[in-house]
């Protein structure tokens, strides 16, 4: 076995069903650096300090693992080793020459090999690869790439969802500049929206009111569960109405003031979608607990309604008894 041959590299190529040949003396001048084949950012390829160290070790007789190139002699992995050979004015280098691999397959291979040779990739480089894969319509196995890169699968999945969100937003005509402040977690939450109208309106709400990802997830979950598009849109409309003061403050250049009622408003909106029979559909072993909770909830709501009559300007608003009537239930749902 040639001293530059790498069992580790060969096992990775074999696992990907990549056809290759080992060339112990590939001419240095044939190798090309083509943008798009490597996952590492250009400024991070072949760091000078590493090239200097490799070149010195090579002059002392050290044998390094073979680099990896495509059958067009475009480098996939081994920039520092290649540059060190050039520094030493070497004419050849050992290389694995891979056949019939696309630019995306080359970048994918580069991800795995870069984590075992030289410096590990930065999060920025890994994310750039993820973005490119999504843009090309590929489905990323986040668990597999988590093992390769050391980045948590959940984080990779969030990056994938964020890029799908960006593509979807672009298709729906949402301005990229307006979306720049949305966190990845918020983008991932919004991307789950089933209806495009809900997606657009919820995204606009997220930008206008700077809605946290946790709240967006609740809004989207409720909208997705709605029996009709009109009711799904109404979920977002109610969420916007509940944040009207925040939206005005943010539009005026002020930070929104957190209100304790934000979370409860979402839960109340959810409860209003249920009928009495729905609330009573409880397994026998949970009925006592459910009764206690509903009793406590009724006490809280009775107290809140009584205080609201005193503190809020509700002179022209229907009484509690009128709101309880079947004819006015649609009004309570809208509010």
């Amino acid at each position: 076995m040639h001293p530059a041959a790498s069992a580790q590299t060969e096992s990775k190529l074999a696992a990907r069903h990549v056809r290759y040949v080992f060339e112990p003396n590939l001419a240095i001048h044939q190798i090309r650096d083509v943008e798009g084949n490597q996952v590492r950012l250009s400024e991070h390829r072949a760091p000078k300090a590493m090239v200097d160290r490799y070149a010195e070790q090579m002059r002392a007789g050290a044998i390094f693992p073979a680099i990896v190139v495509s059958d067009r002699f475009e480098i996939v992995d081994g920039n520092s080793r290649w540059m060190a050979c050039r520094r030493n004015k070497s004419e050849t280098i050992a290389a694995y020459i891979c056949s019939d691999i696309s630019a995306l397959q080359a970048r994918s291979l580069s991800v795995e090999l870069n984590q075992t040779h030289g410096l590990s990739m930065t999060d920025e480089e890994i994310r750039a690869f993820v973005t490119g894969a999504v843009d090309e319509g590929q489905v990323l196995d986040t668990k597999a790439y988590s093992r390769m890169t050391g980045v948590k699968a959940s984080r990779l999945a969030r990056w994938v969802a964020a890029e799908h969100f960006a593509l979807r937003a672009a298709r729906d005509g949402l301005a990229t500049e307006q979306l720049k402040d949305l966190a990845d977690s918020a983008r991932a939450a919004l991307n789950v929206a089933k209806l495009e109208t809900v997606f657009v309106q919820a995204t606009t709400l997220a930008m206008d009111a700077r809605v946290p990802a946790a709240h967006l997830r609740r809004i989207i979950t409720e909208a997705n569960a709605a029996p009709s598009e009109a009711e799904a849109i109404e979920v977002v409309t109610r969420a916007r109405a509940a944040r009207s003061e925040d939206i005005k403050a943010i539009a005026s250049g002020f930070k929104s003031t957190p209100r304790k009622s934000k979370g409860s408003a979402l839960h109340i909106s959810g409860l209003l979608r249920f009928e009495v029979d729905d609330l009573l559909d409880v397994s026998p072993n949970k009925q006592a607990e459910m009764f206690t909770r509903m009793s406590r909830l009724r006490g809280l709501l009775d107290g809140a309604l009584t205080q609201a009559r005193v503190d809020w300007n509700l002179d022209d608003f229907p009484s509690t008894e009128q709101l309880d009537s079947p004819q006015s239930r649609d009004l309570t749902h809208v509010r």
Side-chain angles (χ1 to χ4, degrees):
M1 187 174 184
H2 193 280
S6 168
Q8 187 177 44
T9 298
E10 291 180 8
S11 68
K12 294 182 186 303
L13 294 173
R16 291 168 175 264
H17 304 286
V18 173
R19 293 188 295 112
Y20 66 89
V21 294
F22 176 76
E23 172 51 61
N25 295 295
L26 179 64
I28 293 287
H29 73 270
Q30 288 185 278
I31 302 170
R32 299 185 299 138
D33 184 5
V34 176
E35 201 62 45
N37 278 359
Q38 297 184 70
V39 71
R40 191 175 292 286
L41 299 177
S42 58
E43 61 267 25
H44 296 161
R45 296 173 196 166
K48 183 179 181 303
M50 183 173 286
V51 171
D52 290 343
R53 186 170 73 251
Y54 283 7
E56 183 177 351
Q57 292 171 341
M58 287 176 180
R59 287 194 297 272
I63 304 296
F64 283 76
I67 66 172
V68 178
V69 300
S70 72
D71 51 11
R72 297 176 297 279
F73 306 120
E74 298 165 350
I75 192 160
V76 174
D77 176 63
N79 286 281
S80 295
R81 284 164 278 163
W82 175 41
M83 293 304 295
C85 284
R86 292 177 62 181
R87 177 77 55 82
N88 289 340
K89 299 188 179 343
S90 301
E91 294 185 359
T92 64
I93 187 173
Y96 287 99
I97 303 173
C98 301
S99 301
D100 301 322
I101 58 171
S102 66
L104 178 61
Q105 288 171 323
R107 291 198 301 275
S108 175
L109 182 57
S110 179
V111 168
E112 190 167 13
L113 294 176
N114 265 287
Q115 297 304 87
T116 55
H117 298 147
L119 293 174
S120 295
M121 291 180 300
T122 64
D123 281 358
E124 183 183 8
E125 289 169 333
I126 297 170
R127 180 159 188 171
F129 165 74
V130 169
T131 298
V134 172
D135 290 348
E136 292 188 29
Q138 301 297 317
V139 179
L140 205 72
D141 185 338
T142 55
K143 290 184 178 179
Y145 277 95
S146 178
R147 289 193 297 271
M148 293 180 204
T149 64
V151 178
K152 288 183 178 179
S154 58
R155 192 176 188 193
L156 291 171
R158 192 159 57 246
W159 289 349
V160 169
E163 185 58 22
H164 278 300
F165 166 86
L167 294 174
R168 189 176 180 184
R171 288 196 300 269
D172 287 330
L174 295 168
T176 303
E177 182 63 23
Q178 293 178 300
L179 301 173
K180 62 182 177 61
D181 293 330
L182 283 179
D184 287 339
S185 54
R187 292 168 180 245
L190 290 163
N191 192 56
V192 179
K194 295 178 180 178
L195 298 172
E196 289 306 311
T197 49
V198 170
F199 173 77
V200 171
Q201 291 190 23
T203 299
T204 304
L205 171 62
M207 294 186 292
D208 292 345
R210 298 177 188 169
V211 184
H215 292 187
L216 288 173
R217 281 192 287 271
R218 289 198 288 267
I219 293 169
I220 298 301
T221 298
E222 185 179 350
N224 285 345
S228 68
E229 181 172 0
E231 290 179 80
I233 293 172
E234 180 60 31
V235 171
V236 185
T237 301
R238 290 199 303 271
R240 175 173 284 276
R243 292 166 173 78
S244 59
E245 292 182 17
D246 290 343
I247 294 171
K248 290 178 183 177
I250 291 168
S252 301
F254 301 106
K255 289 185 177 181
S256 59
T257 303
R259 292 183 180 273
K260 295 179 180 178
S261 63
K262 276 188 176 181
S264 61
L266 288 170
H267 290 298
I268 291 173
S269 296
L271 283 172
L272 289 171
R273 295 180 54 248
F274 291 94
E275 299 294 336
V276 171
D277 288 343
D278 298 327
L279 294 174
L280 295 179
D281 186 15
V282 179
S283 60
N285 63 323
K286 294 287 184 180
Q287 288 174 354
E289 179 185 353
M290 186 65 169
F291 186 85
T292 301
R293 287 184 172 184
M294 289 192 295
S295 298
R296 289 181 59 195
L297 178 61
R298 182 179 64 179
L300 285 170
L301 290 175
D302 285 345
L305 287 169
T306 300
Q307 191 64 39
R309 281 288 176 193
V310 175
D311 295 345
W312 297 352
N313 182 19
L314 300 174
D315 293 340
D316 298 326
F317 198 75
S319 67
T320 305
E321 291 74 19
Q322 290 173 311
L323 287 172
D324 283 339
S325 65
Q327 293 80 9
S328 63
R329 280 180 185 167
D330 287 341
L331 177 60
T332 62
H333 182 72
V334 170
R335 293 187 67 85

